Amino acid sequence: MKVLAGLLALIALAVPTHTVQAATSTTNLEHDLLGLINNARAEHGLKSLRVGNRIWTIAGYRAGRMASTNVLSHTVAGSISSQLKAKAVPWYGYGEDIGYTRAPRGQSAIKELFRMWKASPSHWKLILSPSYNYIGVGLAYRASSRKTFGSLIFTESRDLTAAGSAIDGASAGGDAATWSWHGWDPVLQTHTSGLKSFDVQTRVGSGPWRTVGRNTTATSRTWSGLSQGHTYGLRVRARDRAGNIGRWTAEQRVRVP
């Protein structure tokens, strides 16, 4: 079991005695920071780190905890391994980069955090890891000191990302209609499980959905014996080899003339 943790970007400060103002979340900026990270990875021939929603929640909590205590520390927010376990996040390894900046809140702050992490070999090593495949990004702002605190949680985990699917088209002729589709499993830096199968449902008009294919590898379906003047719909969803099931596609409808 391997565990890596980045060194502190700046020296931790003592807990202040005055009342601490609650930290403010900056969700959009977190995604902007992730964009900087994944652009850097692409420049080094690495795959993008995928968002782990539960990991994201942990990173947000940890950044908020540092902001509320005004302490830059890997331990002030608790044990990462315990938090991953509590959120049922499977992992083979994990790491964390932390930091704070007094740069103006917003784009200037995230660019300065990224610059500091890039300038630190131990932090940059985690960002460019060839093993980690998931990330959570947390930012929190402490108004009283005008500091933006950041936490990046990295994990090497089994494939947790749902497979995707799309319908390529549909056509009708005579008393039959044919649909075709394809699927994919998003590529991870490590542990991509691969596409396995599809579930297929059809319906007449706006009636109830009926499952006509479960865990099938087929990528097309012809429905015969249809009635003229009626509309028929089909939708699919994909499954990967790790058991992650994607969303249903939008319904593809055809009308038999």
Side-chain angles (χ1 to χ4, degrees):
M1 178 174 63
K2 54 182 178 180
V3 178
L4 298 175
L7 300 176
L8 300 184
L10 298 174
I11 297 174
L13 302 180
V15 179
T17 57
H18 62 271
T19 302
V20 175
Q21 182 177 352
T24 303
S25 176
T26 49
T27 302
N28 291 335
L29 291 174
E30 291 166 350
H31 286 279
D32 291 342
L33 179 53
L34 175 59
L36 295 176
I37 292 167
N38 279 336
N39 285 342
R41 289 179 62 83
E43 291 172 359
H44 288 78
L46 298 168
K47 302 299 182 184
S48 292
L49 294 169
R50 295 284 176 176
V51 171
N53 291 331
R54 288 169 288 177
I55 305 169
W56 202 274
T57 299
I58 294 170
Y61 167 76
R62 295 179 68 81
R65 178 64 178 161
M66 288 187 289
S68 66
T69 59
N70 201 26
V71 174
L72 183 69
S73 167
H74 289 287
T75 58
V76 70
S79 164
I80 297 176
S81 61
S82 296
Q83 291 162 359
L84 291 171
K85 182 178 181 180
K87 292 291 185 182
V89 177
W91 55 271
Y92 306 111
Y94 67 80
E96 180 183 34
D97 280 348
I98 60 174
Y100 78 75
T101 177
R102 287 192 176 93
R105 184 183 185 186
Q107 292 294 325
S108 295
I110 65 170
K111 289 177 181 178
E112 179 61 13
L113 282 170
F114 182 75
R115 185 199 66 77
M116 289 191 295
W117 285 324
K118 184 176 182 179
S120 168
S122 60
H123 293 76
W124 195 237
K125 181 179 180 181
L126 299 190
I127 288 173
L128 297 184
S129 168
S131 300
Y132 295 138
N133 50 9
Y134 286 93
I135 188 172
V137 180
L139 294 171
Y141 181 70
R142 182 182 173 85
S144 63
S145 57
R146 298 181 180 179
K147 294 178 184 176
T148 298
F149 286 81
S151 168
L152 306 178
I153 301 291
F154 307 89
T155 73
E156 178 187 353
S157 299
R158 63 169 177 80
D159 192 338
L160 304 172
T161 304
S165 57
I167 297 178
D168 299 318
S171 61
D175 68 345
T178 298
W179 292 261
S180 61
W181 58 85
H182 71 281
W184 63 89
D185 191 30
V187 177
L188 308 175
Q189 178 64 37
T190 55
H191 304 290
T192 305
S193 62
L195 182 67
K196 181 182 179 182
S197 60
F198 301 93
D199 295 332
V200 184
Q201 291 186 334
T202 58
R203 68 175 176 176
V204 180
S206 298
W209 288 104
R210 182 172 66 95
T211 299
V212 296
R214 190 183 302 277
N215 207 19
T216 177
T217 57
T219 55
S220 66
R221 181 175 180 83
T222 297
W223 190 357
S224 302
L226 307 183
S227 300
Q228 291 183 337
H230 286 70
T231 300
Y232 299 85
L234 179 142
R235 65 181 184 179
V236 301
R237 65 181 182 183
R239 177 184 288 101
D240 68 16
R241 296 185 183 281
N244 300 303
I245 301 175
R247 296 181 178 179
W248 290 105
T249 62
E251 178 183 9
Q252 181 70 57
R253 298 165 67 88
V254 296
R255 182 177 176 81
V256 177

PDB file of all heavy atoms in Angstrom, residues 193-214:
ATOM      1  N   SER A 193     -11.104   0.281 -17.177  1.00  0.00           N
ATOM      2  CA  SER A 193     -11.612  -1.093 -17.216  1.00  0.00           C
ATOM      3  C   SER A 193     -12.047  -1.522 -18.606  1.00  0.00           C
ATOM      4  O   SER A 193     -11.967  -2.700 -18.951  1.00  0.00           O
ATOM      5  CB  SER A 193     -12.784  -1.245 -16.242  1.00  0.00           C
ATOM      6  OG  SER A 193     -13.855  -0.404 -16.612  1.00  0.00           O
ATOM      7  N   GLY A 194     -12.531  -0.597 -19.429  1.00  0.00           N
ATOM      8  CA  GLY A 194     -12.960  -0.938 -20.780  1.00  0.00           C
ATOM      9  C   GLY A 194     -14.465  -1.147 -20.894  1.00  0.00           C
ATOM     10  O   GLY A 194     -15.127  -1.565 -19.944  1.00  0.00           O
ATOM     11  N   LEU A 195     -14.997  -0.863 -22.071  1.00  0.00           N
ATOM     12  CA  LEU A 195     -16.430  -1.020 -22.336  1.00  0.00           C
ATOM     13  C   LEU A 195     -16.809  -2.494 -22.318  1.00  0.00           C
ATOM     14  O   LEU A 195     -16.088  -3.341 -22.854  1.00  0.00           O
ATOM     15  CB  LEU A 195     -16.764  -0.408 -23.693  1.00  0.00           C
ATOM     16  CG  LEU A 195     -18.228  -0.425 -24.123  1.00  0.00           C
ATOM     17  CD1 LEU A 195     -19.058   0.481 -23.239  1.00  0.00           C
ATOM     18  CD2 LEU A 195     -18.351   0.001 -25.595  1.00  0.00           C
ATOM     19  N   LYS A 196     -17.963  -2.792 -21.734  1.00  0.00           N
ATOM     20  CA  LYS A 196     -18.419  -4.175 -21.669  1.00  0.00           C
ATOM     21  C   LYS A 196     -19.697  -4.421 -22.466  1.00  0.00           C
ATOM     22  O   LYS A 196     -19.732  -5.311 -23.313  1.00  0.00           O
ATOM     23  CB  LYS A 196     -18.651  -4.590 -20.215  1.00  0.00           C
ATOM     24  CG  LYS A 196     -19.111  -6.039 -20.075  1.00  0.00           C
ATOM     25  CD  LYS A 196     -19.384  -6.398 -18.613  1.00  0.00           C
ATOM     26  CE  LYS A 196     -19.878  -7.841 -18.492  1.00  0.00           C
ATOM     27  NZ  LYS A 196     -20.205  -8.193 -17.085  1.00  0.00           N
ATOM     28  N   SER A 197     -20.752  -3.644 -22.216  1.00  0.00           N
ATOM     29  CA  SER A 197     -22.040  -3.993 -22.802  1.00  0.00           C
ATOM     30  C   SER A 197     -23.018  -2.816 -22.738  1.00  0.00           C
ATOM     31  O   SER A 197     -22.682  -1.732 -22.263  1.00  0.00           O
ATOM     32  CB  SER A 197     -22.636  -5.195 -22.074  1.00  0.00           C
ATOM     33  OG  SER A 197     -22.831  -4.880 -20.696  1.00  0.00           O
ATOM     34  N   PHE A 198     -24.260  -3.092 -23.201  1.00  0.00           N
ATOM     35  CA  PHE A 198     -25.311  -2.078 -23.216  1.00  0.00           C
ATOM     36  C   PHE A 198     -26.614  -2.645 -22.656  1.00  0.00           C
ATOM     37  O   PHE A 198     -26.858  -3.854 -22.720  1.00  0.00           O
ATOM     38  CB  PHE A 198     -25.595  -1.607 -24.644  1.00  0.00           C
ATOM     39  CG  PHE A 198     -24.418  -1.022 -25.357  1.00  0.00           C
ATOM     40  CD1 PHE A 198     -23.611  -1.825 -26.163  1.00  0.00           C
ATOM     41  CD2 PHE A 198     -24.106   0.323 -25.237  1.00  0.00           C
ATOM     42  CE1 PHE A 198     -22.519  -1.296 -26.828  1.00  0.00           C
ATOM     43  CE2 PHE A 198     -23.017   0.860 -25.905  1.00  0.00           C
ATOM     44  CZ  PHE A 198     -22.221   0.053 -26.695  1.00  0.00           C
ATOM     45  N   ASP A 199     -27.434  -1.746 -22.145  1.00  0.00           N
ATOM     46  CA  ASP A 199     -28.834  -2.039 -21.885  1.00  0.00           C
ATOM     47  C   ASP A 199     -29.642  -1.261 -22.916  1.00  0.00           C
ATOM     48  O   ASP A 199     -29.296  -0.113 -23.248  1.00  0.00           O
ATOM     49  CB  ASP A 199     -29.244  -1.603 -20.482  1.00  0.00           C
ATOM     50  CG  ASP A 199     -28.534  -2.390 -19.387  1.00  0.00           C
ATOM     51  OD1 ASP A 199     -28.160  -3.553 -19.647  1.00  0.00           O
ATOM     52  OD2 ASP A 199     -28.362  -1.840 -18.282  1.00  0.00           O
ATOM     53  N   VAL A 200     -30.709  -1.877 -23.428  1.00  0.00           N
ATOM     54  CA  VAL A 200     -31.504  -1.264 -24.484  1.00  0.00           C
ATOM     55  C   VAL A 200     -32.972  -1.280 -24.085  1.00  0.00           C
ATOM     56  O   VAL A 200     -33.484  -2.300 -23.615  1.00  0.00           O
ATOM     57  CB  VAL A 200     -31.329  -2.027 -25.819  1.00  0.00           C
ATOM     58  CG1 VAL A 200     -32.079  -1.317 -26.946  1.00  0.00           C
ATOM     59  CG2 VAL A 200     -29.860  -2.190 -26.172  1.00  0.00           C
ATOM     60  N   GLN A 201     -33.639  -0.146 -24.264  1.00  0.00           N
ATOM     61  CA  GLN A 201     -35.071  -0.052 -23.996  1.00  0.00           C
ATOM     62  C   GLN A 201     -35.798   0.577 -25.189  1.00  0.00           C
ATOM     63  O   GLN A 201     -35.236   1.433 -25.879  1.00  0.00           O
ATOM     64  CB  GLN A 201     -35.346   0.789 -22.742  1.00  0.00           C
ATOM     65  CG  GLN A 201     -34.906   0.128 -21.454  1.00  0.00           C
ATOM     66  CD  GLN A 201     -35.329   0.912 -20.221  1.00  0.00           C
ATOM     67  OE1 GLN A 201     -35.519   2.130 -20.269  1.00  0.00           O
ATOM     68  NE2 GLN A 201     -35.480   0.216 -19.099  1.00  0.00           N
ATOM     69  N   THR A 202     -37.037   0.135 -25.401  1.00  0.00           N
ATOM     70  CA  THR A 202     -37.862   0.684 -26.469  1.00  0.00           C
ATOM     71  C   THR A 202     -39.241   1.046 -25.907  1.00  0.00           C
ATOM     72  O   THR A 202     -39.634   0.572 -24.832  1.00  0.00           O
ATOM     73  CB  THR A 202     -38.049  -0.324 -27.617  1.00  0.00           C
ATOM     74  OG1 THR A 202     -38.656  -1.518 -27.102  1.00  0.00           O
ATOM     75  CG2 THR A 202     -36.722  -0.671 -28.275  1.00  0.00           C
ATOM     76  N   ARG A 203     -39.969   1.856 -26.654  1.00  0.00           N
ATOM     77  CA  ARG A 203     -41.352   2.150 -26.289  1.00  0.00           C
ATOM     78  C   ARG A 203     -42.130   2.616 -27.513  1.00  0.00           C
ATOM     79  O   ARG A 203     -41.549   3.055 -28.513  1.00  0.00           O
ATOM     80  CB  ARG A 203     -41.432   3.196 -25.191  1.00  0.00           C
ATOM     81  CG  ARG A 203     -41.001   4.598 -25.568  1.00  0.00           C
ATOM     82  CD  ARG A 203     -41.261   5.513 -24.390  1.00  0.00           C
ATOM     83  NE  ARG A 203     -40.795   6.878 -24.613  1.00  0.00           N
ATOM     84  CZ  ARG A 203     -40.985   7.878 -23.757  1.00  0.00           C
ATOM     85  NH1 ARG A 203     -41.606   7.644 -22.596  1.00  0.00           N
ATOM     86  NH2 ARG A 203     -40.546   9.091 -24.014  1.00  0.00           N
ATOM     87  N   VAL A 204     -43.447   2.482 -27.398  1.00  0.00           N
ATOM     88  CA  VAL A 204     -44.358   2.928 -28.439  1.00  0.00           C
ATOM     89  C   VAL A 204     -44.929   4.275 -28.021  1.00  0.00           C
ATOM     90  O   VAL A 204     -45.485   4.407 -26.922  1.00  0.00           O
ATOM     91  CB  VAL A 204     -45.506   1.924 -28.655  1.00  0.00           C
ATOM     92  CG1 VAL A 204     -46.450   2.424 -29.748  1.00  0.00           C
ATOM     93  CG2 VAL A 204     -44.956   0.544 -28.996  1.00  0.00           C
ATOM     94  N   GLY A 205     -44.786   5.280 -28.890  1.00  0.00           N
ATOM     95  CA  GLY A 205     -45.275   6.610 -28.554  1.00  0.00           C
ATOM     96  C   GLY A 205     -44.671   7.110 -27.264  1.00  0.00           C
ATOM     97  O   GLY A 205     -43.454   7.096 -27.080  1.00  0.00           O
ATOM     98  N   SER A 206     -45.531   7.542 -26.341  1.00  0.00           N
ATOM     99  CA  SER A 206     -45.079   8.017 -25.028  1.00  0.00           C
ATOM    100  C   SER A 206     -45.386   7.002 -23.931  1.00  0.00           C
ATOM    101  O   SER A 206     -45.491   7.348 -22.755  1.00  0.00           O
ATOM    102  CB  SER A 206     -45.759   9.358 -24.699  1.00  0.00           C
ATOM    103  OG  SER A 206     -45.410  10.343 -25.650  1.00  0.00           O
ATOM    104  N   GLY A 207     -45.518   5.737 -24.334  1.00  0.00           N
ATOM    105  CA  GLY A 207     -45.829   4.675 -23.394  1.00  0.00           C
ATOM    106  C   GLY A 207     -44.657   4.314 -22.507  1.00  0.00           C
ATOM    107  O   GLY A 207     -43.591   4.931 -22.560  1.00  0.00           O
ATOM    108  N   PRO A 208     -44.823   3.285 -21.690  1.00  0.00           N
ATOM    109  CA  PRO A 208     -43.758   2.869 -20.770  1.00  0.00           C
ATOM    110  C   PRO A 208     -42.578   2.241 -21.509  1.00  0.00           C
ATOM    111  O   PRO A 208     -42.737   1.645 -22.574  1.00  0.00           O
ATOM    112  CB  PRO A 208     -44.461   1.843 -19.867  1.00  0.00           C
ATOM    113  CG  PRO A 208     -45.551   1.286 -20.724  1.00  0.00           C
ATOM    114  CD  PRO A 208     -46.038   2.437 -21.559  1.00  0.00           C
ATOM    115  N   TRP A 209     -41.408   2.371 -20.923  1.00  0.00           N
ATOM    116  CA  TRP A 209     -40.217   1.754 -21.487  1.00  0.00           C
ATOM    117  C   TRP A 209     -40.226   0.253 -21.215  1.00  0.00           C
ATOM    118  O   TRP A 209     -40.653  -0.193 -20.163  1.00  0.00           O
ATOM    119  CB  TRP A 209     -38.959   2.360 -20.878  1.00  0.00           C
ATOM    120  CG  TRP A 209     -38.670   3.753 -21.344  1.00  0.00           C
ATOM    121  CD1 TRP A 209     -38.866   4.912 -20.636  1.00  0.00           C
ATOM    122  CD2 TRP A 209     -38.152   4.146 -22.600  1.00  0.00           C
ATOM    123  NE1 TRP A 209     -38.497   5.996 -21.384  1.00  0.00           N
ATOM    124  CE2 TRP A 209     -38.050   5.564 -22.602  1.00  0.00           C
ATOM    125  CE3 TRP A 209     -37.761   3.449 -23.743  1.00  0.00           C
ATOM    126  CZ2 TRP A 209     -37.575   6.288 -23.684  1.00  0.00           C
ATOM    127  CZ3 TRP A 209     -37.280   4.168 -24.835  1.00  0.00           C
ATOM    128  CH2 TRP A 209     -37.189   5.566 -24.805  1.00  0.00           C
ATOM    129  N   ARG A 210     -39.722  -0.489 -22.201  1.00  0.00           N
ATOM    130  CA  ARG A 210     -39.619  -1.937 -22.085  1.00  0.00           C
ATOM    131  C   ARG A 210     -38.179  -2.345 -22.401  1.00  0.00           C
ATOM    132  O   ARG A 210     -37.632  -1.963 -23.432  1.00  0.00           O
ATOM    133  CB  ARG A 210     -40.581  -2.615 -23.062  1.00  0.00           C
ATOM    134  CG  ARG A 210     -40.577  -4.150 -22.994  1.00  0.00           C
ATOM    135  CD  ARG A 210     -41.709  -4.710 -23.852  1.00  0.00           C
ATOM    136  NE  ARG A 210     -41.502  -4.444 -25.264  1.00  0.00           N
ATOM    137  CZ  ARG A 210     -40.932  -5.322 -26.118  1.00  0.00           C
ATOM    138  NH1 ARG A 210     -40.522  -6.491 -25.689  1.00  0.00           N
ATOM    139  NH2 ARG A 210     -40.793  -5.018 -27.385  1.00  0.00           N
ATOM    140  N   THR A 211     -37.561  -3.104 -21.500  1.00  0.00           N
ATOM    141  CA  THR A 211     -36.183  -3.548 -21.718  1.00  0.00           C
ATOM    142  C   THR A 211     -36.160  -4.685 -22.727  1.00  0.00           C
ATOM    143  O   THR A 211     -36.791  -5.722 -22.521  1.00  0.00           O
ATOM    144  CB  THR A 211     -35.548  -4.009 -20.398  1.00  0.00           C
ATOM    145  OG1 THR A 211     -35.532  -2.907 -19.466  1.00  0.00           O
ATOM    146  CG2 THR A 211     -34.120  -4.492 -20.618  1.00  0.00           C
ATOM    147  N   VAL A 212     -35.434  -4.475 -23.813  1.00  0.00           N
ATOM    148  CA  VAL A 212     -35.343  -5.490 -24.875  1.00  0.00           C
ATOM    149  C   VAL A 212     -33.930  -6.043 -25.007  1.00  0.00           C
ATOM    150  O   VAL A 212     -33.688  -6.963 -25.787  1.00  0.00           O
ATOM    151  CB  VAL A 212     -35.820  -4.913 -26.221  1.00  0.00           C
ATOM    152  CG1 VAL A 212     -37.296  -4.550 -26.151  1.00  0.00           C
ATOM    153  CG2 VAL A 212     -34.981  -3.699 -26.634  1.00  0.00           C
ATOM    154  N   GLY A 213     -33.005  -5.476 -24.247  1.00  0.00           N
ATOM    155  CA  GLY A 213     -31.629  -5.965 -24.254  1.00  0.00           C
ATOM    156  C   GLY A 213     -30.960  -5.598 -22.950  1.00  0.00           C
ATOM    157  O   GLY A 213     -30.996  -4.433 -22.538  1.00  0.00           O
ATOM    158  N   ARG A 214     -30.422  -6.565 -22.259  1.00  0.00           N
ATOM    159  CA  ARG A 214     -29.727  -6.297 -20.997  1.00  0.00           C
ATOM    160  C   ARG A 214     -28.343  -6.927 -21.061  1.00  0.00           C
ATOM    161  O   ARG A 214     -28.198  -8.115 -21.369  1.00  0.00           O
ATOM    162  CB  ARG A 214     -30.512  -6.867 -19.818  1.00  0.00           C
ATOM    163  CG  ARG A 214     -29.975  -6.418 -18.443  1.00  0.00           C
ATOM    164  CD  ARG A 214     -30.751  -7.071 -17.304  1.00  0.00           C
ATOM    165  NE  ARG A 214     -32.172  -6.784 -17.349  1.00  0.00           N
ATOM    166  CZ  ARG A 214     -32.725  -5.681 -16.870  1.00  0.00           C
ATOM    167  NH1 ARG A 214     -31.968  -4.743 -16.340  1.00  0.00           N
ATOM    168  NH2 ARG A 214     -34.036  -5.506 -16.931  1.00  0.00           N
TER     169      ARG A 214
END
